[in-house]
Amino acid sequence: MDGNYLIIFMKILGSLALLIYGMKVMSEALQKMAGSQLRHILGAMTTNRFTGMLTGTFITCAVQSSSATTVMTVSFVNAGLLTLAQSISVIMGANIGTTLTAWIMSLGFKVDLTMAVFPAFLIGIILIYTKRSRYVGDFLFGIAFLFFSLVLLSDAGKSLDLAHNASAISFFSSFDTQSHWSILIFLFIGTVITCIVQSSAAVMAVTILLCSTGVLPIYLGIALVMGENIGTTATANLAALGANTQARRAALAHLVFNVFGVVWVLCLFYPFVNFICSLVGYDPLGSHYTVAQKAAILPIVLAAFHTGFNVCNTGLLIWFIPVIERVVCTIIRPNDKADEEDFRLRFIQVGIMKTPELSVLEAQKEILSFAERIHRMFGMVRDLLREKDGDKFKKLYDRIEKYEDISDNMEIEIAKYLDQVSDAHLSDDTKGKIRAMLRQISEIESIGDSCNNLARTINRRRNGKEDFTEPQYDHIMQMFELTDDALTEMDTLMTGYRENLDATRSFNIENEINNYRNQLRSENITDINNHEYSYAVGTMYMDIIQECEKLGDYIVNVVESRMGIKQNSAQS
């Protein structure tokens, strides 16, 4: 008999593994199908707390994963796309959206879906091998795995026959269902298990299994469901560990929201549960139900409680979002190390690794930040040219060198992050974006190298015996002005949607830089021959002009990559 139990236990564990995998495949397929549309919805439809809540509900229903929605929301806060208050309303909506999963699972336990599962597998594998519909195939495979695991769990539950197992009945009977201590114990168990397996769906499946066999009283089952609500917040909090202050606050708000909801439900536990049971038509204290009747109705009771709890909690706390915001801001204080904040990756962190679509979005924000930082570096070079004070010159020159080190590190860190993202199964569109981004960061780092080369030439001129003539200074400043315009235009094109952008102005500025370089090169030869200045000064002068022209080429390469234009085979 012990051998039979071991086989059944392994079957249950395998079924849970299959369920978690099915949820993962289904959620990722839905996210790939929806992709950027979900990001646009999340960014555009959070104008107030109610639209934010509805958005969170919709997205969670769409991707069938509250964890995906909350991690997405935390990453949006980290990237500065959502405010803390907006993120709290979205997370509240995610809690309502996740109740759909409980209803799907209760259906899986109540109805034998075996006949629907195997055709879904067949259609799914056919679609996976057709390029156009492979995400639909992934989705069908995921949902087929989900329902198949529920069928296996249900069969395993029947095989266990816990209703006639004296040890199981004795164990669960030892807990007084009318005692708050018993409720707290099972709440704690539900929280811990959910934190460990990182899947509220798996805990919900086990709860439905135990309740439907008749050995786990509904009060204790509901306590497990409440614990699962707290445990599911661990995913977002783990994802936010390496994020900025606001993102950590958003993750903590998810925990505060669910803990507060559990606290008030515990205060009204028995009246609230009895009310939910009465809506479904079940008597929690009734002893006349057969095992078959319990198997049919208890999954519905658990799903109804899950929905009622989250809807009531959101309906109550949505009015107190400013209070929750103040609480999490008090608990998590901002980092006062401003200098450290200035010189680190702002939007992507080692600790945050989510769906490829979201990772690409954060990488794009980081690349924009990289471009803006390099633009500031070029501004320092312009200031360096005219700086006469020795101490100020040295500080500025040292700062430019420091920026050069930072740009090297940023290129490496962003490239490593994109390399991690590329390990996942990606859509062709996302693969193209990653290739373009890798090219962008390489060219932006080259702009940083050019800025450093300009600073070195200026430093070499300062340490020499001769200075540039006033016309040379004017020409260099004019070239700097053109280069700065090119950088400004590049920054503009790095934001917004590619379809709405026009690179014509960038190409026009590049032509101006090339023509001006050619003009100054001819004039320089003439001026040296006329002894306006020495050959050494003329060489340093042209080094600066030529470096600006190279810098302009790198800028055009970034713009071409951003606009999806193939790289020219040769630069001017």
Side-chain angles (χ1 to χ4, degrees), residues 58-244:
F58 167 75
I59 290 178
T60 306
C61 287
V63 301
Q64 277 302 291
S65 172
S66 61
S67 294
T69 305
T70 50
V71 170
M72 188 189 303
T73 305
V74 167
S75 66
F76 266 50
V77 175
N78 191 51
L81 299 176
L82 286 180
T83 65
L84 181 57
Q86 286 172 325
S87 71
I88 294 171
S89 66
V90 173
I91 287 168
M92 287 180 173
N95 276 30
I96 295 176
T98 196
T99 61
L100 180 62
T101 308
W103 285 105
I104 291 172
M105 293 177 70
S106 67
L107 173 70
F109 269 91
K110 191 175 179 184
V111 181
D112 187 357
L113 297 164
T114 311
M115 292 307 295
V117 165
F118 295 109
F121 277 129
L122 177 62
I123 297 167
I125 197 68
I126 293 169
L127 291 176
I128 285 171
Y129 281 98
T130 61
K131 193 171 183 182
R132 182 177 294 181
S133 303
R134 65 184 184 274
Y135 301 139
V136 179
D138 283 339
F139 168 73
L140 281 175
F141 239 66
I143 201 163
F145 272 131
L146 170 63
F147 283 128
F148 188 49
S149 69
L150 294 177
V151 170
L152 292 175
L153 274 174
S154 182
D155 289 345
K158 290 171 186 172
S159 301
L160 275 176
D161 194 23
L162 291 177
H164 299 98
N165 186 305
S167 300
I169 294 170
S170 172
F171 173 76
F172 288 111
S173 298
S174 64
F175 294 96
D176 182 4
T177 57
Q178 296 301 310
S179 165
H180 270 87
W181 283 112
S182 297
I183 303 302
L184 287 171
I185 288 168
F186 275 79
L187 187 148
F188 177 74
I189 292 170
T191 303
V192 171
I193 294 174
T194 310
C195 286
I196 292 170
V197 300
Q198 288 288 291
S199 172
S200 56
V203 181
M204 176 62 82
V206 171
T207 307
I208 293 174
L209 174 67
L210 290 172
C211 285
S212 61
T213 56
V215 293
L216 181 66
I218 190 64
Y219 289 124
L220 302 184
I222 283 173
L224 283 176
V225 172
M226 288 166 61
E228 166 247 302
N229 268 274
I230 296 175
T232 195
T233 65
T235 308
N237 279 280
L238 286 171
L241 284 178
N244 62 25

Side-chain angles (χ1 to χ4, degrees), residues 108 128 143 267 275 281-282 297 314 323 352 374 406 418 423 464 493:
I128 285 171
I143 201 163
C267 295
F275 171 70
Y282 176 75
I297 197 168
T314 299
V323 177
I352 299 187
I374 292 298
I406 291 165
L418 289 171
D423 287 339
L493 293 174

Side-chain angles (χ1 to χ4, degrees), residues 177-368:
T177 57
Q178 296 301 310
S179 165
H180 270 87
W181 283 112
S182 297
I183 303 302
L184 287 171
I185 288 168
F186 275 79
L187 187 148
F188 177 74
I189 292 170
T191 303
V192 171
I193 294 174
T194 310
C195 286
I196 292 170
V197 300
Q198 288 288 291
S199 172
S200 56
V203 181
M204 176 62 82
V206 171
T207 307
I208 293 174
L209 174 67
L210 290 172
C211 285
S212 61
T213 56
V215 293
L216 181 66
I218 190 64
Y219 289 124
L220 302 184
I222 283 173
L224 283 176
V225 172
M226 288 166 61
E228 166 247 302
N229 268 274
I230 296 175
T232 195
T233 65
T235 308
N237 279 280
L238 286 171
L241 284 178
N244 62 25
T245 303
Q246 287 294 83
R248 294 202 308 277
R249 287 170 174 169
L252 180 63
H254 189 203
L255 177 62
V256 168
F257 168 74
N258 280 8
V259 168
F260 185 85
V262 167
V263 168
W264 76 256
V265 168
L266 281 175
C267 295
L268 303 169
F269 184 76
Y270 294 103
F272 187 77
V273 173
N274 292 341
F275 171 70
I276 296 292
C277 289
S278 67
L279 291 179
V280 180
Y282 176 75
D283 180 7
L285 299 175
S287 57
H288 59 280
Y289 295 102
T290 64
V291 173
Q293 288 173 322
K294 285 186 177 183
I297 197 168
L298 287 182
I300 305 296
V301 174
L302 288 169
F305 171 81
H306 197 221
T307 303
F309 167 73
N310 282 299
V311 169
C312 291
N313 199 28
T314 299
L316 176 66
L317 292 184
I318 198 167
W319 306 101
F320 296 96
I321 286 177
V323 177
I324 296 173
E325 190 175 9
R326 283 198 296 273
V327 168
V328 296
C329 288
T330 302
I331 295 170
I332 299 179
R333 298 284 184 180
N335 190 351
D336 294 328
K337 297 177 181 177
D339 191 59
E340 185 179 296
E341 285 283 313
D342 191 36
F343 298 117
R344 71 171 179 87
L345 295 180
R346 294 168 56 199
F347 302 115
I348 59 178
Q349 301 292 331
V350 177
I352 299 187
M353 201 68 204
K354 333 159 242 317
T355 62
E357 295 290 343
L358 284 173
S359 302
V360 166
L361 174 74
E362 292 192 337
Q364 187 61 56
K365 294 285 289 183
E366 196 64 68
I367 292 169
L368 173 60

